[in-house]
Amino acid sequence: MAENRITEYNKESKTVSWFCNDHKDEKRYDVTDNVIDFINRLIIHIPDYHFLTT
């Protein structure tokens, strides 16, 4: 995820707002997640230690 997709971080309510674009209908979706849920969504895209990326 590119950092510029994060639109807001609210420290008091512990939420992260971000957006994504659906490539099927070219619509922008704004999402607000709890910080823990956001990190969980993010780390699933980190490859395993010995996984080769080229």
Side-chain angles (χ1 to χ4, degrees):
M1 170 186 241
E3 188 176 349
N4 64 351
R5 290 186 181 262
I6 299 172
T7 56
E8 182 184 4
Y9 168 65
N10 189 327
K11 194 172 187 177
E12 289 81 33
S13 65
K14 298 180 182 176
T15 58
V16 178
S17 298
W18 54 281
F19 71 91
C20 62
N21 295 322
D22 189 358
H23 298 290
K24 293 178 185 173
D25 55 6
E26 295 301 323
K27 288 185 181 177
R28 175 182 161 144
Y29 293 98
D30 294 311
V31 181
T32 300
D33 279 333
N34 178 317
V35 171
I36 299 300
D37 294 336
F38 175 75
I39 292 172
N40 285 335
R41 285 183 189 233
L42 200 62
I43 64 174
I44 63 171
H45 298 286
I46 299 173
D48 291 334
Y49 179 68
H50 289 292
F51 187 78
L52 295 176
T53 57
T54 56

